Amino acid sequence: MHAPMPSLISPELLLSAYRHGIFPMADSRTDTEIFWVEPRERAILPIDGFRLSRSLARTLRRGKFRVTCNTAFREVVRHCAGPRADADGTWISQRIEASYAALHLRGDAHSIECWEGDTLVGGVYGVGFDSVYCGESMFSHRTDASKVALAWLVALLGRAGCKVFDCQFMTSHLESLGAVPLSQKAYMQMVADAALPQPQTLAQAYASLSSEAEDDDPSSSPGKLIAHSLTQTS
């Protein structure tokens, strides 16, 4: 007889935790318990400080991947929880996955997806509140897929009026893309300063960009606009 699935972490509790600089993790995919993490140091990716390499700019302009927003949220989370060559296990338990799926249904968690045809090959997801976006995890099954998803995310957050893009923990990969370390105290001040409505949602920013690309040149890739916007701000 299977043990009952633990109750979801309520959306209200999750959002309250994020507003206080805290987020949940688990010890394994099947772990039913969670622990709350409050890093002493955060990794922040300035919206206007994304480092766009020449090779990534070319990939964006070529439109190598079809990019969508909030189309396959749960699938992105599941891929992020999958096995990785550079990590043992995962902190994204089934309980955490289901809890974020519930948050997504409320419009408070978002994903960017990269596709090859009908195959999901990369993506990133996170939580949004006020003018803050907290990136949770990303995955890539093709070269540059996660970088393309992240580049789109940064550009769309800029269009939407986001003030803070929190990446939680610093990695060499994030540092190479422009992320900077910040103390928890300084981070909480940034969150307090960003406690104002965001002019657009991520989905609205995605729709406006797609429409702009279509009006500009129906045959061109929206990635050209993404690359241009990141080149202008970086």
Side-chain angles (χ1 to χ4, degrees):
M1 187 174 181
H2 294 291
M5 179 71 181
S7 60
L8 301 182
I9 309 166
S10 73
E12 293 77 16
L13 178 57
L14 275 173
L15 288 176
S16 177
Y18 276 94
R19 291 179 187 279
H20 289 85
I22 304 168
F23 50 87
M25 299 182 74
D27 283 327
S28 70
R29 183 71 172 144
T30 57
D31 190 9
T32 59
E33 300 297 323
I34 62 166
F35 56 92
W36 297 96
V37 180
E38 184 180 17
R40 292 183 179 179
E41 185 177 87
R42 314 288 295 222
I44 301 298
L45 186 55
I47 302 296
D48 60 354
F50 184 79
R51 292 176 187 160
L52 182 67
S53 68
R54 291 181 180 179
S55 61
L56 182 56
R58 286 195 297 270
T59 299
L60 287 166
R61 295 189 184 100
R62 283 169 42 211
K64 180 179 179 181
F65 305 109
R66 178 171 61 90
V67 181
T68 57
C69 176
N70 289 337
T71 297
F73 179 87
R74 187 111 186 208
E75 290 85 347
V76 169
V77 178
R78 198 163 292 151
H79 278 287
C80 288
R84 300 185 183 215
D86 60 346
D88 295 326
T90 179
W91 58 267
I92 306 172
S93 66
Q94 293 171 350
R95 182 186 182 192
I96 286 177
E97 176 191 329
S99 299
Y100 281 88
L103 198 63
H104 169 66
L105 290 176
R106 284 176 32 128
D108 297 313
H110 315 276
S111 60
I112 300 294
E113 306 93 12
C114 288
W115 306 81
E116 275 189 349
D118 294 327
T119 303
L120 182 63
V121 296
V124 58
Y125 80 96
V127 173
F129 62 91
D130 298 336
S131 293
V132 179
Y133 184 88
C134 300
E136 282 294 308
S137 188
M138 56 187 176
F139 81 97
S140 183
H141 292 330
R142 298 289 187 276
T143 301
D144 286 341
S146 62
K147 289 182 180 179
V148 167
L150 188 61
W152 270 75
L153 176 59
V154 171
L156 292 177
L157 289 175
R159 279 178 166 254
C162 180
K163 303 300 182 185
V164 179
F165 182 9
D166 168 35
C167 298
Q168 297 181 346
F169 299 112
M170 180 67 79
T171 66
S172 57
H173 174 60
L174 287 171
E175 187 175 18
S176 71
L177 295 172
V180 296
L182 198 67
S183 70
Q184 178 75 347
K185 181 178 179 180
Y187 168 73
M188 290 309 302
Q189 184 60 57
M190 288 184 69
V191 170
D193 293 342
L196 67 162
Q198 196 165 286
Q200 288 188 357
T201 66
L202 203 64
Q204 289 170 334
Y206 175 86
S208 68
L209 180 134
S210 299
S211 176
E212 185 179 331
E214 182 72 18
D215 292 342
D216 182 51
D217 181 357
S219 64
S220 72
S221 163
K224 290 183 179 179
L225 281 179
I226 295 291
H228 178 72
S229 67
L230 292 175
T231 302
Q232 294 295 105
T233 59
S234 60

